[in-house]
Amino acid sequence: MTGAFVVERWTTASRIGFLVIAFAIVVLVAAPIVLKAGTLDRLTALFIYVMLAAMWNALAGYGGLVSIGQQLFFGLGAYFTVRLADAGLNPFASTIAAALIVAGIAWAMSHFMLQLRGGEFAIGMWVLSELTHLLVNLDRLVQGETGTSLISMNVYDPDNRRIAIYLLAFGIMVALLGALYALLRSKSGAAIQAIRDNEVAATSVGVDVLKTKRILFVLAAFGIGLAGALWLCSALTFQPKTYFSVQWTAYMIFMVLVGGIGKFEGAILGALLFFTIETWFGGTGVWYLIGLGLAAVVFSLFFPKGIWGAIEQRFGITLLPIGYRLKIIGGAE
Amino acid sequence: MLSNLIQAVFLGGYYAMVACGLSFMFSVMRIINLAHGSLAILSAYLLYVLAQKFNINPFLGLLIVVPVMATLGWILQRYLLDRSAKGGELLPVLTTFGIAIVLDNLMFQRFGADTRSLAPYIGDLSWASYALPGGLFVGKLQILVLMTVIVVIGALQLFLKKTQLGRSIRATAMDPDTAGLVGIDAKRATAAATAIAMATVALAGAFLGMRATFEPYSGTPQLLAAFEATVIGGIGSLWGTLAGGIILAIAQTLGASVHPQGFLLGGHLAFLIVLFFRLHRNRDAILTWLRVRTA
């Protein structure tokens, strides 16, 4: 090949994408001025779904670590928030502190869990989550399945509290997505994608697989811990059964696989879709769940790369590029 | 204590009954079937309907339900799982997760939240027991479950070793492409394997309904116990699954004797301990572990 080439990290679409995102951020920050209380609560839920999807995607889509026990971190995030708030810490500070504790626990856990392969890891995480659920139930504060509440939130006026939680959730979501995006575009990002594509080959070119996986594992735990803590801030009651439910991971799997696994945009799109389905059909109870299940089956059969995968394949658009594109300029092509 | 241990072995037999289909599908097709528990509950409901509406004894009912579930398994593999498995190991997780949600909620829609049991339809079998010397009692149903699971696993092993279809299933499990080269129809082999797995699920559902109660969402705890038994016993080994089920049940029994809420805790701990020891028996794993420690 005689042509010269340049390495592109941005595309025109992605530049436009970034402008749109910047605009969306401004709009969403200003939104509490005009939006009703119910809408704010729903949007807070959406932000939490986006966090959950992005974190599960980081773990499974990039790290190749398929876990069906991520509710472990969701529940622990909420649990430590209740615990710290009970000890007298400000409830908002508790959410962050709780997530840091969860990250620490995940770091310790990773030494054992990351040695497991495939199915053993997936199920091992589930078992760990059930184990932790049972241990949390033993805490006097939680009183088994009766649960407890984030009482210290009562000092805040409900309207201000709602706005504060909304902004906190939004800020955390943007920060988490930003951190993940920066990570994926960094040198570790190249390592992460090498592992996703082929672990053995990645090792052979000098990628420290274990270290890279650990970064993702801890990051995912931290993000999901934050999501659990925020969910608690919004819902106020802590019942272990709701937080340690395998449903949470099921939703993560749904959002990521429907949106497009291993695609940064895919997880966000999946969360939006899940949120929309829930908003429209959530009221129909059982039939909503049946529809969700059917959607999961249909997507796994007909859109194996998810919606974003299909869009990317069809139109070649990348809004948030993390890779490198070679563009050949001049010369013989 | 001895009595508790004996009960635990029988409970382990039941876990193995639930787990052997899961273990079989996992080792042959690498499919993590999240709908396994829900399918067992579906079989239990089918037997319940047959017993309640048509007065068919659940044991006779199995003559209908086993073929129905096997056919369902065949269809499931042929038209859903085969297709999604092409997209990697993850997609079948989504497919079976979807199936589980659909099944659970359809059953809820149809049967409501009431708990049911097959025990009233099998005479005194659910509570009758044999007295053993030393004041021990062993339930007749428990003996039946344990014997059934031993027969089922033995038959599965023989089938895999001795028959043409069994050999083609094993070949497909090892390497589907090469199996195709030597003229094995991989689709037929995997569909047959799933049909067999679902036949064992029908038996598991029957025993679940006979020895306890069930409701539409009972599938998940069954699924978890089945996974634990499978992994403890070592993925890919059916006799291992039986051992795994028994270890799980003994650990739960020990846990319950330590603390009133220790039953499930004990099982989960045993699962993690077994995994830990298995890892560290492996020298490579120890070396990696040491490297991490010193790094």
Side-chain angles (χ1 to χ4, degrees):
Chain A
M1 192 172 72
T2 54
F5 59 86
V6 288
V7 178
E8 263 196 349
R9 301 216 65 187
W10 300 99
T11 62
T12 316
S14 74
R15 287 194 186 90
I16 298 170
F18 255 82
L19 281 178
V20 173
I21 288 169
F23 181 69
I25 289 177
V26 174
V27 169
L28 284 170
V29 168
I33 304 170
V34 286
L35 290 182
K36 279 182 295 199
T39 319
L40 279 185
D41 279 345
R42 288 301 297 150
L43 282 175
T44 306
L46 169 65
F47 300 152
I48 293 174
Y49 292 156
V50 171
M51 285 178 223
L52 292 177
M55 292 299 118
W56 199 82
N57 190 29
L59 197 65
Y62 292 106
L65 293 163
V66 176
S67 158
I68 41 183
Q70 290 308 97
Q71 66 275 20
L72 163 63
F73 304 116
F74 192 81
L76 271 186
Y79 167 67
F80 283 120
T81 306
V82 164
R83 256 263 150 248
L84 291 170
D86 183 67
L89 193 67
N90 172 291
F92 289 105
S94 300
T95 56
I96 311 286
L100 287 172
I101 298 176
V102 171
I105 292 176
W107 181 83
M109 226 175 240
S110 70
H111 289 93
F112 172 52
M113 294 313 288
L114 292 184
Q115 310 268 337
L116 301 178
R117 295 274 145 258
E120 288 189 347
F121 173 79
I123 295 147
M125 287 301 298
W126 190 10
V127 172
L128 258 184
S129 164
E130 292 289 316
L131 184 73
T132 315
H133 176 189
L134 293 169
L135 290 175
V136 164
N137 274 357
L138 294 179
D139 187 334
R140 287 252 170 81
L141 176 70
V142 177
Q143 312 169 62
E145 290 301 347
T146 319
T148 180
S149 310
L150 199 59
I151 308 156
S152 54
M153 271 291 181
N154 284 337
V155 299
Y156 300 101
D157 161 68
D159 288 330
N160 290 337
R161 185 174 73 206
R162 182 171 287 116
I163 294 174
I165 294 169
Y166 167 87
L167 288 175
L168 185 66
F170 183 64
I172 288 175
M173 177 193 78
V174 172
L176 275 178
L177 290 179
L180 181 62
Y181 189 60
L183 178 73
L184 291 175
R185 272 182 75 95
S186 73
K187 201 176 151 212
S188 317
I192 289 167
Q193 291 179 65
I195 293 174
R196 175 193 62 182
D197 295 339
N198 188 332
E199 207 174 304
V200 180
T203 317
S204 73
V205 294
V207 171
D208 187 343
V209 173
L210 202 61
K211 186 184 142 207
T212 315
K213 282 190 171 182
R214 179 162 300 136
I215 294 175
L216 288 171
F217 186 76
V218 174
L219 175 71
F222 178 69
I224 292 172
L226 273 172
L230 286 167
W231 192 268
L232 172 72
C233 285
S234 182
L236 294 182
T237 51
F238 177 73
Q239 273 186 305
K241 209 158 62 183
T242 2
Y243 286 81
F244 284 99
S245 161
V246 72
Q247 289 295 339
W248 289 107
T249 301
Y251 293 156
M252 293 179 217
I253 299 179
F254 178 85
M255 293 187 283
V256 170
L257 290 185
V258 166
I261 188 165
K263 307 279 176 211
F264 192 86
E265 301 91 333
I268 302 172
L269 196 65
L272 273 169
L273 190 82
F274 175 72
F275 174 78
T276 314
I277 297 175
E278 193 193 52
T279 310
W280 284 346
F281 302 108
T284 60
V286 173
W287 288 108
Y288 151 68
L289 290 168
I290 293 171
L292 203 65
L294 280 177
V297 174
V298 167
F299 267 93
S300 69
L301 294 180
F302 300 105
F303 303 97
K305 286 181 177 157
I307 300 174
W308 193 258
I311 293 177
E312 219 178 50
Q313 211 168 19
R314 182 89 189 263
F315 305 106
I317 307 174
T318 316
L319 287 183
L320 297 165
I322 51 176
Y324 299 79
R325 284 161 76 109
L326 287 187
K327 196 167 186 184
I328 295 164
I329 41 170
E333 280 173 42
Chain B
M1 193 63 220
L2 181 65
S3 159
N4 281 348
L5 267 180
I6 292 176
Q7 301 301 329
V9 171
F10 285 113
L11 178 62
Y14 165 71
Y15 285 150
M17 188 70 244
V18 183
C20 68
L22 185 85
S23 169
F24 188 65
M25 270 181 81
F26 193 85
S27 53
V28 174
M29 271 105 45
R30 302 262 163 261
I31 284 179
I32 299 181
N33 181 8
L34 292 184
H36 188 83
S38 306
L39 286 160
I41 305 297
L42 175 69
S43 322
Y45 271 114
L46 289 178
L47 289 169
Y48 174 79
V49 169
L50 287 176
Q52 198 217 12
K53 290 248 157 82
F54 306 100
N55 260 328
I56 298 175
N57 176 301
F59 287 107
L60 284 177
L62 276 174
L63 292 179
I64 302 169
V65 173
V66 168
V68 166
M69 291 304 289
T71 314
L72 199 65
W74 179 282
I75 295 170
L76 193 70
Q77 182 66 36
R78 198 84 209 228
Y79 296 101
L80 299 177
L81 297 179
D82 252 348
R83 198 182 163 118
S84 68
K86 267 187 261 163
E89 265 184 49
L90 247 183
L91 276 176
V93 175
L94 183 66
T95 318
T96 55
F97 155 66
I99 294 168
I101 296 187
V102 171
L103 276 182
D104 286 359
N105 289 289
L106 280 179
M107 288 189 287
F108 180 77
Q109 188 69 22
R110 174 72 187 76
F111 299 104
D114 298 342
T115 56
R116 318 274 170 157
S117 176
L118 296 175
Y121 306 102
I122 51 170
D124 66 352
L125 188 63
S126 65
W127 44 269
S129 57
Y130 294 111
L132 296 185
L136 295 172
F137 288 92
V138 179
K140 288 182 182 172
L141 181 60
Q142 290 178 309
I143 295 176
L144 181 67
V145 174
L146 187 63
M147 273 168 24
T148 310
V149 72
I150 291 172
V151 169
V152 165
I153 291 180
L156 276 177
Q157 291 283 11
L158 268 182
F159 163 77
L160 285 175
K161 269 212 181 100
K162 301 283 177 195
T163 66
Q164 184 63 40
L165 184 58
R167 279 193 292 265
S168 59
I169 287 176
R170 277 194 299 152
T172 313
M174 263 182 231
D175 186 342
D177 296 333
T178 315
L181 287 180
V182 295
I184 290 169
D185 182 351
K187 281 195 167 166
R188 192 172 150 259
T190 51
T194 311
I196 293 166
M198 285 309 120
T200 72
V201 166
L203 288 174
F207 288 136
L208 165 78
M210 289 177 194
R211 58 193 297 286
T213 58
F214 56 93
E215 39 102 10
Y217 299 107
S218 300
T220 312
Q222 305 299 320
L223 177 69
L224 185 60
F227 270 140
E228 286 184 317
T230 304
V231 175
I232 290 175
I235 289 167
S237 155
L238 286 170
W239 288 118
T241 301
L242 178 59
I246 292 173
I247 293 172
L248 178 67
I250 290 177
Q252 289 178 334
T253 307
L254 288 177
S257 67
V258 174
H259 188 278
Q261 285 171 40
F263 184 77
L264 291 171
L265 268 176
H268 298 330
L269 277 177
F271 171 90
L272 292 171
I273 291 169
V274 168
L275 272 191
F276 190 77
F277 276 107
R278 192 178 303 144
L279 265 183
H280 294 289
R281 214 177 41 197
N282 183 332
R283 271 191 78 196
D284 287 343
I286 293 179
L287 288 176
T288 337
W289 189 67
L290 284 176
R291 219 177 314 143
V292 172
R293 285 304 321 285
T294 50

